[in-house]
Amino acid sequence: MTTANSRARLAEIIRTRSFGRGEVTLASGRKSDFYFNLKPTMLDPEGAALLAELTYEALRAEQVDYVGGLEMGAVPLAGAIAQLSWLNGRPIAAFFVRKKPKEYGAKLAVEGLAKNESLKGKRVVIVEDVTTTGGSAIKAAEAVRESGAEIAMVLTMVDREEGAADSFAAAGLPFRSLYKASEFLNA
């Protein structure tokens, strides 16, 4: 399938499985009359494969070592991208950032790294399922920077176009999205 065909098919899956109308309160606290819940798309076999394919394509020109982001939205994305990158012979490892470090065990904020692994000096892409203001991705980026990594970019699957681009620019984080909310609202 061509990239354009993959993108069109994924948009159809998102529209069917993950997009809806009706008043909701977003993670940012804002009210909205539409929503994206990307979990049904991320956990659908075809949806997961297409998200990984299109994200991997978007990262192809970047020299990145790791991909990950804030739990829960980034976990299925990072895992699918890591698997596809391995199958394509250009491995990109995955991790995730806890919203709050566990109070037991290793008490880590960044999970998924082996004992001898570190993000220090590594180029990392923060992935997110849906972005509104950018607060969740910025929180993940801060934790990753504290680990010594360089943030190559923040890449979201759907940008709600409600201020994230400005937030990321102010934080010095390059930002890209696979889709914009207007693509679904105006369809």
Side-chain angles (χ1 to χ4, degrees), residues 5-48:
N5 288 344
S6 293
R7 192 174 191 293
R9 176 64 183 136
L10 181 57
E12 183 180 319
I13 293 169
I14 291 170
R15 192 171 289 105
T16 302
R17 296 182 62 86
S18 297
F19 175 70
R21 292 284 193 167
E23 186 174 315
V24 294
T25 302
L26 306 171
S28 65
R30 294 181 187 183
K31 299 273 188 209
S32 178
D33 66 347
F34 68 93
Y35 62 90
F36 291 92
N37 173 8
L38 239 55
K39 277 98 181 149
T41 296
M42 292 188 297
L43 298 173
D44 173 73
E46 185 181 12

Side-chain angles (χ1 to χ4, degrees), residues 97-119:
V97 177
R98 290 188 177 278
K99 291 177 183 173
K100 180 181 171 193
K102 289 193 310 187
E103 295 182 13
Y104 57 91
K107 301 180 181 180
L108 300 172
V110 177
E111 292 277 5
L113 306 177
K115 288 184 284 186
N116 62 343
E117 288 179 304
S118 166
L119 294 180

